[in-house]
Every structure is written in structure tokens, then in C-alpha cells.
Amino acid sequence: MTDESAIVNPARVNPAPVNLFELDRAGMVAFFAGIGEARYRAEQVMKWIYHRHVTNFAEMTDLGKPLRAKLLAACVIEPPKVVFEKPSADGTHKWLLGMDGGNAIEAVFIPDKGRGTLCVSSQVGCGLACTFCSTGTQGFNRNLSTAEIIGQVWVAAKHLGNVPHKQRKLTNVVMMGMGEPLLNFDNVVRAMGIMRDDLGFGLANKRVTLSTAGLVPMIDRLAVESDVSLAVSLHAPNDELRTQLVPLNKKYPIAELLDACVRYAQRKPRTSITFEYTMMKGVNDKPEHARALVKLMRAMDAKLQRANAAKVNLIPFNPFPGTGYERSDEIDIRNFQTLLLDNQVLTMVRRTRGDDIDAACGQLKGQVLDRTRRQEAFRRKLELSALGQKGIVDAAA
Ligand code: SAH
């Protein structure tokens, strides 16, 4: 053995085989070209994976034995591992999917009249630390790979079964699970491409929605590089309050964020932008907040010169252990909605689903090996407030 071979990295001599879930159609075609195979072979394999949920080369009967053997040596088809899954009484279904180490992320399927929406995660944890979000208290570990993102859709689609295209149950995907999708841009955009590709899940562009806390430069990049529906987590109609709830607002305040939304909508003339607004009791749910929100939304419509270019989605706050916030009262949510509607702002209230299995918006927390010490800080805060409460009880006794 020469000195040189002694220092060769074994991973480079024997690199991990490619996981085909990492590749979109262009990547698949390039990979197949690289092993001397034609484009239509790549397309056949995509149909096996995404239309029939087959990951075992031996079952791909139209490939021929030599090609199957070649693929077995050159690549793998590895979906995320289901650690645990839980159906809810209302038909919602949650999966905890194991990533590497002790990390796990969550995906949630929400059936509704005539459609079924899968809520997909983009990161293990989240670095943005929005104060009312459970994932925010978990800290951050890492971005998910393309395979880990599209794999969530694959696991759900397989669970829901092979049905003819028109009767399928999974009709929409929202990137509203754990993480900030625009901070994992390339993998999210590639995975959303597979969701919309006919050889992938074949979803219509407008049925794939990316939700962001408001990374302005990345919204502009998304407008150029992808074609999906955009949802923006607004939650407050003024910078002072929004900065408290979404710390990212300090970097990209409301005016800049809304300008980016106008640019996005200008590139996609028929789509509207949804503004998410989580309703927290006594925090952002008063009539003056609704009136300020009307002004922002009407200004968007005026800039885009059409009605309902900006829509509002009110989300009743979903509590999680240790949170200091409470859900707004039903009557306040209704009044808020009415005020917006009376001022020509199209406004929906999102029905809370799957809260019996902690699968509602903002309740996903998976298992995050935190690299940011946020979990520690949150635990300390909890301990202090528990001590404080005990102090009050002691004092009262
Ligand atoms: N990072 C992205 C996507 C993840 S959150 C974003 O910020 O948009 C998906 C939506 O759920 C966001 O609008 C988020 O603000 C909202 N949300 C977070 N925590 C919530 C909670 N506890 N109750 C209700 N909605 C919540």
C-alpha cells in the first residue's frame, strides 16, 4: 500500500449511492445519461416512484433485468423513515419522520371537502424564533434535503393509496410545516418542482403554496425561479408589534415586505397573495389592528390594480406548552373578519384541524437536536415562570 492510498478518504473511493429522491426530472435524465441510459428510462423510473409508489427495482418490470441490476449498483430510492404516525378524530393524519441522528420532523395531512392538503416541513427546527410558534422554541438543526422534503409527500401519497388521478386525495401541498422554506431555497424549489411535474405528483402550480415569514430578497428570487402560490406570515399591521412577534421584521419591515409581494404578484398576474394572521388574544385582535390591516391590504390591491390581489387568512392561535399567548375569543375573530370583509378585503378564518394530535399550525415540533441553545433558553424561561407562579400561589396562601 502506498502512502497516497493510505490517506484516501473511503467515502470518496466508495461514495454513498445517489438517492433518486434527490433528483428532479432534469437531474434524473442527467443521472441516467451518466450511466449510459436514455431519457425515457429516467421517465419510466419516475413513474414507478411517484405514480405507483414503488421503490424496489425488482418490481420495475418494464426495465429489463440488466438495467435493474445496473440501477441497484448505482443508486438507491430511499424515502424518509416513519417513526410514528397518528390519525386524528377529524381525519387529519400526522407523521413523525426520522432524519439523521436523533432528529425528526413532522408532516400533516388535512382532508377537507373535495380536497386534501399536506403540510410539509422544510427544516429541522427553525432559526427565526417567532415568539408564538412552537417550532420557534425548538431551535434549529439543519436544512432538509430535497429527498427529505419530497419524501414527506411520497409517504403521505403512499399512505393514501393508488387511486386514479382524478380521485386522488392529496390535492394541495403547503410549505407550512417546520422551518422557513426560503432559507432552504434550492432544495425547496427543487422539491416543489417534483410536486408539480406530471412525472412527479402532477399538482397544479397554484395548489402548491410556499409560506414565508418574509425574506424579501428570496421572495424576489422565488418570483423568477418558481411558479407557486405565495403566503406571507404577517400577523401584525405595524412594525412595532410585528417585530415583537416575528423578529425577522427588524431586517425586512412591513413596507419592504409588501413591496416584494407586489413585485411577486406583478410577475404572476392572476395569482393573489395570502397574508396569514394568527389571532392572539389582546395582542393583535382589536378593531384598530383590523383597520390598519385594511389599509395595508387595500394599498396592495391599488398597486396591483385589481380587487382581492391580497387575501387574509385568519388563524386562531394554537397553544403549546409554555406559551404565554392565548387564542382570541371567537367573537373577536368574527368581528375582525367582518371589519375586513366590510372593507372589501377577502378574509377567511382557518378552521383548526388536528389539534387533538398536536398537528395544528404552529404546534409541530418534531425532535430537534438544537444547535442554537434556544431550547435551553426557552426551558429556563419556563422554569422561571413556573417559579414565579409558585411564588404567587405561596404568597396568596
Ligand atoms: N416559516 C414559515 C412557515 C411555517 S409556519 C412562515 O413563517 O410562514 C406556518 C404558519 O403557521 C405561519 O403563518 C405561522 O406564523 C403560523 N403559526 C405558527 N405558530 C402558530 C400558532 N401557535 N398558532 C397558529 N398559527 C401559527
Side-chain angles (χ1 to χ4, degrees):
M1 193 188 267
T2 65
D3 283 345
E4 215 178 58
S5 67
I7 54 164
V8 166
N9 175 353
R12 286 186 58 190
V13 176
N14 211 348
V18 174
N19 182 359
L20 295 187
F21 276 117
E22 292 291 348
L23 307 176
D24 58 9
R25 191 194 295 217
M28 286 285 282
V29 169
F31 175 78
F32 274 69
I35 58 168
E37 295 293 336
R39 158 183 280 271
Y40 81 98
R41 291 299 192 187
E43 296 174 352
Q44 277 176 313
V45 172
M46 280 190 82
K47 283 189 198 160
W48 279 110
I49 299 174
Y50 295 109
H51 296 183
R52 299 176 204 139
H53 312 123
V54 167
T55 54
N56 183 350
F57 294 118
E59 290 174 46
M60 301 185 182
T61 44
D62 56 0
L63 295 188
K65 267 198 175 157
L67 176 55
R68 281 186 255 157
K70 198 173 180 182
L71 289 172
L72 202 58
C75 55
V76 294
I77 308 175
E78 223 169 71
K81 289 176 194 62
V82 178
V83 177
F84 160 91
E85 55 185 298
K86 205 168 178 184
S88 153
D90 67 9
T92 301
H93 196 99
K94 177 166 93 168
W95 291 266
L96 185 73
L97 301 170
M99 302 290 137
D100 54 354
N103 285 314
I105 54 101
E106 297 184 347
V108 181
F109 178 70
I110 309 145
D112 208 347
K113 292 168 238 98
R115 69 171 180 190
T117 303
L118 187 72
C119 181
V120 168
S121 295
S122 57
Q123 299 181 311
V124 180
C126 187
L128 293 183
C130 298
T131 51
F132 57 94
C133 177
S134 172
T135 309
T137 66
Q138 290 281 296
F140 175 73
N141 186 279
R142 66 173 176 85
N143 281 336
L144 295 182
S145 66
T146 304
E148 290 165 335
I149 298 168
I150 200 66
Q152 296 169 58
V153 188
W154 187 88
V155 164
K158 185 173 160 69
H159 168 86
L160 295 166
N162 284 330
V163 288
H165 221 60
K166 287 214 168 98
Q167 296 162 26
R168 66 179 169 188
K169 296 176 196 151
L170 200 166
T171 59
N172 295 58
V173 170
V174 291
M175 299 299 307
M176 293 185 189
M178 298 167 68
E180 168 50 48
L182 290 184
L183 285 175
N184 185 10
F185 191 89
D186 292 343
N187 291 331
V188 165
V189 164
R190 195 174 305 119
M192 293 192 307
I194 302 169
M195 293 172 203
R196 289 146 51 227
D197 188 338
D198 286 340
L199 293 178
F201 293 108
L203 300 179
N205 289 350
K206 68 175 193 317
R207 289 178 178 273
V208 175
T209 301
L210 181 143
S211 176
T212 178
L215 277 126
V216 166
M218 291 301 177
I219 293 175
D220 286 324
R221 213 180 133 193
L222 187 72
V224 178
E225 294 186 32
S226 190
D227 191 359
V228 292
S229 296
L230 183 67
V232 173
S233 292
L234 192 61
H235 308 305
N238 64 65
D239 283 321
E240 195 191 345
L241 181 56
R242 188 164 192 269
T243 298
Q244 278 174 34
L245 301 172
V246 182
L248 183 69
N249 191 68
K250 227 180 286 165
K251 197 158 179 196
Y252 304 115
I254 294 176
E256 280 179 39
L257 174 57
L258 296 187
D259 282 348
C261 293
V262 168
R263 291 192 292 277
Y264 190 90
Q266 275 165 343
R267 290 188 74 102
K268 316 203 183 285
R270 278 178 305 277
T271 55
S272 51
I273 295 188
T274 301
F275 290 92
E276 294 156 285
Y277 195 102
T278 298
M279 300 284 295
M280 287 164 268
K281 191 173 184 161
V283 175
N284 62 354
D285 62 353
K286 306 218 172 83
E288 72 243 33
H289 297 122
R291 280 192 288 272
L293 186 57
V294 164
K295 278 204 188 120
L296 296 179
M297 298 295 102
R298 294 304 302 272
M300 284 274 303
D301 286 357
K303 281 188 191 157
L304 290 164
Q305 297 180 333
R306 60 196 161 92
N308 302 334
K311 293 190 294 196
V312 173
N313 207 334
L314 300 177
I315 314 173
F317 172 71
N318 292 306
F320 53 91
T323 180
Y325 297 106
E326 283 174 70
R327 179 179 296 182
S328 298
D329 290 335
E330 187 71 33
I331 179 76
D332 291 329
I333 298 176
R334 287 290 153 213
N335 288 341
F336 200 98
Q337 182 188 27
T338 305
L339 200 151
L340 284 148
L341 287 173
D342 286 348
N343 288 282
Q344 289 79 49
V345 180
L346 190 60
T347 307
M348 321 274 264
V349 177
R350 193 181 292 170
R351 216 151 44 92
T352 296
R353 303 287 304 272
D355 50 351
D356 57 335
I357 54 168
D358 286 345
C361 294
Q363 291 183 320
L364 304 187
K365 64 191 189 87
Q367 268 163 236
V368 181
L369 299 181
D370 184 19
R371 292 172 187 270
T372 60
R373 306 186 129 209
R374 184 133 0 94
Q375 277 181 28
E376 204 181 302
F378 188 71
R379 259 196 306 271
R380 209 170 316 119
K381 201 179 105 197
L382 267 186
E383 277 162 22
L384 283 176
S385 70
L387 271 178
Q389 275 168 15
K390 189 170 172 294
I392 293 168
V393 174
D394 288 350

